Amino acid sequence: MTEQKILIVESNTPDLISNGYRPAADYFITTFGALDEPVTCSVTRPYEAAFKVEELEGIDGVVFTGSSVDWSCDSKQAAPLRNTMLHAFKNGVPVWGSCNGLHLAGVVLGGSVGASPNGIEVGVSREIRKTGAGKKHAMLAGREDIYAMPCIHLDEIKRLPLDAFILAENDHSPVQAFGYSSGDVDFWGTQYHPECTALTIAEELKLSSKHVVNKAALVNDLKWSHDDPIAAERLGTTCKELQLSVRTSELRNWLKHIKVKKPH
């Protein structure tokens, strides 16, 4: 099998990581390593050093991770990430975005983001619904029409970029996933985290300063939900949905997608 080369854009700052947050790139490295597709990952850190376009040489796809920073992706502080994404788009490299990566694409492509009026969505994103476009799109192939996924976010897409298409939604946020394919830009992304386990979200939540109702109980359910059907049910999901083979559906579909696009 042909090995795919993925560049992961670390979206946590050095300060966050030094204060105990795990590098967000690690979640993708671990997840890609557990899948059947042979993948080699490299990491770029725009918050540490300016991105160089030479880093895209030989790269089949670029991943923009989630982030635990306090600012929105349209802020001055996030300029290094926006600049990196612009380089990826201008060079025609397929891009994946999770959570902050999705919001970032929304801004870079001409849309807008802002805090959800429903507050933080954390633990599991419940009752995500495929849209009409989502039912036909390769990103959600194999997904049930209604599903749940690990998540943690406050911001959401407020205005979708022109030519973008919503693939999934729920009652908390009208854009849980979107795609964009126009000109050189090839983007897929989700507001939820297919690269993260429920336990991952629990660990992130323990570090977060954001107010969450019944935080201790939520952390405990996340900790055990992979194997405990009652804990999973309280979160609005099932143990099956949290297993690697189901949870990573979108990422496995993206790897297949970029393999087809890869020059031969």
Side-chain angles (χ1 to χ4, degrees), residues 84-95:
T84 304
M85 183 172 276
L86 279 169
H87 278 301
F89 287 155
K90 287 179 180 178
N91 283 273
V93 184
V95 173

Side-chain angles (χ1 to χ4, degrees), residues 203-237:
E203 295 301 319
E204 291 282 328
L205 184 54
K206 285 193 286 187
L207 292 168
S208 175
S209 61
K210 295 180 177 67
H211 176 69
V212 177
V213 177
N214 297 325
K215 182 174 178 177
L218 177 57
V219 166
N220 192 62
D221 278 345
L222 287 166
K223 180 179 178 181
W224 297 109
S225 57
H226 187 271
D227 299 305
D228 182 343
I230 303 302
E233 183 178 12
R234 283 196 293 264
L235 293 171
T237 186

Side-chain angles (χ1 to χ4, degrees), residues 24-42:
D26 285 2
Y27 302 132
F28 282 95
I29 293 169
T30 299
T31 296
F32 285 144
L35 302 182
D36 292 334
E37 294 283 346
V39 173
T40 296
C41 296
S42 56

Side-chain angles (χ1 to χ4, degrees), residues 4-58:
Q4 301 194 75
K5 296 180 180 179
I6 306 298
L7 179 65
I8 303 174
V9 183
E10 175 59 58
S11 302
N12 276 340
T13 63
D15 285 348
L16 275 174
I17 294 168
S18 66
N19 285 326
Y21 281 87
R22 186 175 172 186
D26 285 2
Y27 302 132
F28 282 95
I29 293 169
T30 299
T31 296
F32 285 144
L35 302 182
D36 292 334
E37 294 283 346
V39 173
T40 296
C41 296
S42 56
V43 181
T44 187
R45 300 172 177 84
Y47 282 129
E48 273 187 46
F51 179 77
K52 297 177 181 177
V53 71
E54 291 80 8
E55 296 180 71
L56 293 173
E57 291 180 5

Side-chain angles (χ1 to χ4, degrees), residues 38-113:
V39 173
T40 296
C41 296
S42 56
V43 181
T44 187
R45 300 172 177 84
Y47 282 129
E48 273 187 46
F51 179 77
K52 297 177 181 177
V53 71
E54 291 80 8
E55 296 180 71
L56 293 173
E57 291 180 5
I59 294 299
D60 300 310
V62 179
V63 165
F64 284 79
T65 71
S67 180
S68 299
V69 299
D70 290 331
W71 52 81
S72 294
C73 59
D74 58 356
S75 67
K76 180 180 178 180
Q77 296 98 314
L81 296 185
R82 294 196 300 274
N83 179 62
T84 304
M85 183 172 276
L86 279 169
H87 278 301
F89 287 155
K90 287 179 180 178
N91 283 273
V93 184
V95 173
W96 172 272
S98 280
C99 199
N100 189 75
L102 177 88
H103 302 153
L104 192 69
V107 171
V108 169
L109 294 171
S112 64
V113 298

